[in-house]
Structures are given as structure tokens and as C-alpha cells.
């Protein structure tokens, strides 16, 4: 059975991500986008695109 890669994006200005350890333990890649807050795709569009395009 093939398992799909999962990624959680968090803005670097959003502070610590509650549950980060649990996410990574469950196989979810957590990527921090620098210079971004809650609206990652608007705060740092190039960083968002790079994070989405990267492979886990």
C-alpha cells in the first residue's frame, strides 16, 4: 500500500506549533516558511511556493 506524503506549513512568525512532535511522529513533514505569519501564502509567496514544491 502506497502512503501519500503529508506536509504541514507553518509561518515562521506564528510562534511554536502545538502538536509539532505528534505530527512528525505520525509521518507529517512540518515546514516553516520564514517571514510569514498565519497567511503563509500571502506573507511570503515565494517561500510558500518553495515549501509546497519541496519533497518530504
Amino acid at each position: 500500500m502506497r502512503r501519500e506524503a503529508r506536509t504541514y506549513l507553518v509561518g515562521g512568525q506564528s510562534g511554536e506549533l502545538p502538536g509539532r512532535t505528534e505530527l512528525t511522529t505520525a509521518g507529517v513533514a512540518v515546514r516553516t516558511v520564514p517571514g510569514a505569519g498565519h497567511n503563509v501564502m500571502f506573507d511570503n509567496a515565494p517561500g510558500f511556493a518553495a515549501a509546497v514544491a519541496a519533497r518530504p
Side-chain angles (χ1 to χ4, degrees):
M1 178 168 98
R2 183 172 174 231
R3 187 168 183 188
E4 296 297 320
R6 298 170 293 162
T7 303
Y8 187 98
L9 300 181
V10 62
Q13 297 175 349
S14 294
E16 184 56 39
L17 174 64
R20 184 183 200 110
T21 301
E22 291 82 356
L23 285 168
T24 56
T25 299
V28 178
V30 177
R31 293 202 179 101
T32 301
V33 179
H38 178 73
N39 291 309
V40 177
M41 68 293 271
F42 297 119
D43 295 340
N44 182 351
F48 171 77
V52 169
R55 296 190 178 247

